[in-house]
Amino acid sequence: MAASFLAFVVTMATIIIAPIAADINCQDLVPTLLPCLGYLTAVGPGTPSDGCCSATLSIANLAIQSQPNLQGVCVCLESVATSSTFQINMDNAKALSKLCKLPIDIPISTTIDCATLTLPKSPPSAIATSAPDQV
């Protein structure tokens, strides 16, 4: 696990990301996902840990603050999805928002156009940590 952690940090530190118009720093945001690494790279379906849900909730709460934040978070997470260091299980990544009961869908995808994401007309407010749904 220590080697995976080190590889994750090194990979994320070397990702070159286009400037983001929000106060989102991918080098700070991406390591927040470390508790989700096992779930996101699992071979089959699974259940994210409480730590993973707590981490993604903090990311979701940042994303719902503004349109630029939502798009900035998307760009950062897209960089994780397209990283060649880890093989992200896209089915698990897609299920993460629902399983962790996030207030907004946080896409971790290789095919999303982050510029097209918009906040709901009545954005949800920040919510407290919730445990993952059981599958």
Side-chain angles (χ1 to χ4, degrees):
M1 185 67 171
S4 293
F5 173 78
L6 181 59
F8 184 78
V9 171
V10 169
T11 299
M12 294 306 110
T14 58
I15 291 176
I16 298 173
I17 305 226
I20 299 171
D23 292 329
I24 305 295
N25 180 331
C26 294
Q27 290 178 337
D28 292 337
L29 181 102
V30 172
T32 304
L33 283 175
L34 283 174
C36 299
L37 189 59
Y39 170 74
L40 290 173
T41 59
V43 175
T47 302
S49 68
D50 290 345
C52 175
C53 286
S54 178
T56 55
L57 179 62
S58 69
I59 293 170
N61 284 335
L62 176 65
I64 63 175
Q65 291 177 9
S66 70
Q67 183 73 27
N69 275 15
L70 175 63
Q71 292 173 345
V73 165
C74 176
V75 169
C76 292
L77 297 181
E78 181 182 35
S79 72
V80 172
T82 58
S83 168
S84 60
T85 301
F86 298 100
Q87 291 197 316
I88 300 295
N89 178 328
M90 289 303 159
D91 290 333
N92 284 359
K94 185 176 179 179
L96 191 59
S97 292
K98 180 180 178 189
L99 291 175
C100 289
K101 303 174 192 170
L102 300 181
I104 190 168
D105 184 35
I106 301 298
I108 302 175
S109 171
T110 59
T111 60
I112 189 137
D113 180 358
C114 295
T116 64
L117 289 182
T118 58
L119 286 172
K121 291 184 185 211
S122 298
S125 58
I127 59 172
T129 305
S130 59
D133 281 341
Q134 299 299 316
V135 249

